[in-house]
Amino acid sequence: NAGVTQTPKFRVLKTGQSMTLLCAQDMNHEYMYWYRQDPGMGLRLIHYSVGEGTTAKGEVPDGYNVSRLKKQNFLLGLESAAPSQTSVYFCASSFAGNTEAFFGQGTRLTVV
Amino acid sequence: RKEVEQDPGPFNVPEGATVAFNCTYSNSASQSFFWYRQDCRKEPKLLMSVYSSGNEDGRFTAQLNRASQYISLLIRDSKLSDSATYLCVVTLYQGGKLIFGQGTELSVKP
């Protein structure tokens, strides 16, 4: 029972490089989320999706893009990485907007 | 103003102590409320939902005051294993945005 799986777990990027983080869930959840967590800042919502083919901006969307082409996958893209995007990224999913969210184990991204 | 704000930490308490965390939210359209727990920068996990009438789960009690837009978590008889960061979470009535507070760190000492 995998739940929510994030890949990769760790990554080091050079400034200006691009990458995509993949989040996959096997619980048939409608809602999916991408957060970043920085020391003292808690989890801040980057983008979220309320169903296949939909996406919406969260609190800190600048510099990121997302896609939800399949219900089970939610991709987070960084087109041109900046050192300010060094963070731990968490993906989550939930059955509905007001139900328990299940998180992946996180991706530790460093941009140098 | 942040949408969800929590007590600043860290809280350092001895085993057996009672500790209370507070959380306020700014959007009156908020619908659902939760407390999550996060260990050592691992993924957050649901501790308990917060219901309007208040609810209890063992040593943990959660309260909601919609009029004051305030949520609380009470931990009785603290254990070493309760050491973690506690996150207050709010969802809006529409849209499904799950908004986290910045978290309050608890350290329970022997």
Side-chain angles (χ1 to χ4, degrees), chain B:
Chain B
R1 182 185 175 186
K2 291 186 177 181
E3 290 194 63
V4 180
E5 295 199 63
Q6 295 185 235
D7 280 344
F11 282 43
N12 296 300
V13 303
E15 272 188 291
T18 295
V19 61
F21 301 137
N22 300 314
C23 173
T24 57
Y25 59 95
S26 60
N27 194 324
S28 59
S30 299
Q31 180 189 30
S32 301
F33 310 91
F34 307 91
W35 284 101
Y36 278 69
R37 170 187 168 135
Q38 186 176 29
D39 294 289
C40 297
R41 300 296 293 271
K42 293 186 177 179
E43 72 272 24
K45 293 184 179 179
L46 180 68
L47 177 67
M48 59 194 302
S49 301
V50 186
Y51 303 119
S52 297
S53 55
N55 48 298
E56 189 174 303
D57 183 2
R59 297 182 293 108
F60 299 84
T61 300
Q63 297 280 350
L64 168 64
N65 184 322
R66 285 189 183 271
S68 301
Q69 296 182 195
Y70 170 93
I71 307 157
S72 66
L73 176 68
L74 184 75
I75 305 176
R76 292 182 298 278
D77 188 23
S78 299
K79 312 291 185 189
L80 296 176
S81 57
D82 293 333
S83 297
T85 296
Y86 291 83
L87 300 160
C88 174
V89 183
V90 170
T91 66
L92 295 178
Y93 181 69
Q94 292 178 333
K97 287 174 66 174
L98 199 65
I99 304 297
F100 283 74
Q102 73 269 38
T104 303
E105 184 181 347
L106 172 66
S107 179
V108 182
K109 306 293 187 184

Side-chain angles (χ1 to χ4, degrees), chain A residues 47-70:
Chain A
H47 287 280
Y48 64 104
S49 169
V50 300
E52 181 178 315
T54 74
T55 63
K57 293 181 179 180
E59 303 167 275
V60 289
D62 294 341
Y64 305 95
N65 56 75
V66 287
S67 64
R68 182 100 181 265
L69 298 179
K70 293 183 178 180

